Amino acid sequence: MTMSRTSYVYVGLAGETASGRPVKSGLYRMAAGDHRWDLVTRGLPEAPTIRAIATHPEHAETVYVGTQHGPYRSTDHGEHWERLNISDHGLPVWSLLFDPRDSKVLYAGYENCEIFRSEDGGERWQQLPVTVRFPEVTVAPGANPAKRVLELAANPANPDEVYGAIEVGGIIRSLDGGEHRENMSHGQYLNDDTVDMHGVLVGRWRPGMVFAIGRAGLFSSTDRGEHWASARLEPLNPKGQTYCRDIREVPGDPKTIWVAAGANFQSDVGVLFRSADGGLNWARVDMGVKPKSTMFTIAFDERQPKRMYCATTGGEVFASEDGGQSWAERHLPEGATQVYAMGCA
């Protein structure tokens, strides 16, 4: 039973570690319908870098976040936080995922390409084997070796079918709940653009449909990742590519899918794309406002799916109460930029 019917949106800041990129940190919360942001970091590490937020699918007061020191949990809408007892390696958590059928099962994706699973809501954790072979272009001399698990996704019809989007590593897949994995992104590559993956989504509208997003755009598969095709979004940079950072399906409406995008990691273009036919066709959304930096993340209120939010890496947050037909800006406090994650419950 949910303690409160008030919905909250959470925004996590996590400045990148690469040279020359601003470093920001913090976690903010705003009640739906309000304009005021509260900093909610009591119990979190000092200067918490939040790159993953997962709201409990049944208990809206319970929220999980991924920090630079592992996963944390709050049971009071973020007022207080506790570190989960996980014997990890001390590196950052980049993704969190609830099993779509059993909310006691939770996955955490780490840097460098490690995945842990809890079957009791985060009390105890088991490290899962990730012994995949990465595409050769990502392990060549001078290649980016990050291999962070930027997003995890499971098939709602078969939760044992789990995918991971790997930064400069492609899409990995497990068909047995994570006990064994394989890389679905092998091929002949001139550079690492097409295997620098930022997100993955299992489409519910058509069996076998999987979407993957990354530095080079949006890709789709109709056979659970065995083969991929470009979705050919409107190109936003001189390479003819669309830098995509988040992909979300509207709760209760599997035909409608949203993608957050821009020209590059840091750009002066922030765009939303939407498909109304399960991913067959895509169109750029006229938000009525002009985001000034790359659109980075999207979140929906599961109880009221027409309530949705999006945010740019530059710290612009936009809210819609009508399913994305109109948008209003919800300004974060001064200096709050480098948004990486959002959640709503």
Side-chain angles (χ1 to χ4, degrees), residues 75-271:
T75 57
D76 54 9
H77 300 285
E79 290 291 336
H80 305 85
W81 295 91
E82 60 177 341
R83 189 182 191 279
L84 299 179
N85 183 24
I86 177 170
S87 298
D88 58 26
H89 42 42
L91 290 177
V93 171
W94 286 74
S95 52
L96 293 166
L97 171 71
F98 280 101
D99 184 295
R101 287 189 181 174
D102 185 353
S103 62
K104 291 183 179 179
V105 178
L106 182 66
Y107 295 88
Y110 280 79
E111 171 186 327
N112 288 316
C113 204
E114 293 184 4
I115 299 174
F116 289 73
R117 181 180 63 203
S118 172
E119 298 182 351
D120 54 11
E123 297 301 323
R124 292 178 295 273
W125 294 81
Q126 171 193 4
Q127 183 173 354
L128 300 176
V130 186
T131 54
V132 298
R133 180 174 65 89
F134 290 110
E136 286 74 5
V137 70
T138 74
V139 293
N144 184 341
K147 307 292 189 303
R148 298 158 176 159
V149 184
L150 292 192
E151 189 163 29
L152 293 162
N155 184 349
N158 176 21
D160 285 340
E161 184 182 325
V162 183
Y163 297 82
I166 312 302
E167 182 184 46
V168 199
I171 298 296
I172 61 174
R173 183 187 71 182
S174 172
L175 298 178
D176 55 11
E179 296 300 326
H180 303 87
R181 297 181 187 274
E182 55 188 326
N183 198 311
M184 312 306 294
S185 300
H186 285 289
Q188 299 297 318
Y189 302 106
L190 297 177
N191 57 56
D192 56 18
D193 282 357
T194 53
V195 290
D196 185 8
M197 289 296 157
H198 301 151
V200 60
L201 173 74
V202 180
R204 290 179 296 160
W205 183 243
R206 294 177 179 82
M209 181 68 77
V210 183
F211 300 95
I213 58 169
R215 191 197 310 169
L218 168 64
F219 302 87
S220 63
S221 171
T222 58
D223 54 10
R224 301 193 300 175
E226 296 289 341
H227 304 86
W228 297 92
S230 172
R232 304 198 181 284
L233 298 177
E234 176 186 338
L236 299 178
N237 65 30
K239 285 186 175 182
Q241 297 175 344
T242 310
Y243 181 95
C244 298
R245 196 67 201 199
D246 199 8
I247 181 167
R248 301 288 169 185
E249 190 178 87
V250 176
D253 179 11
K255 290 181 70 176
T256 305
I257 306 169
W258 292 75
V259 168
N264 296 289
F265 175 82
Q266 291 179 310
S267 74
D268 58 2
V269 178
V271 173

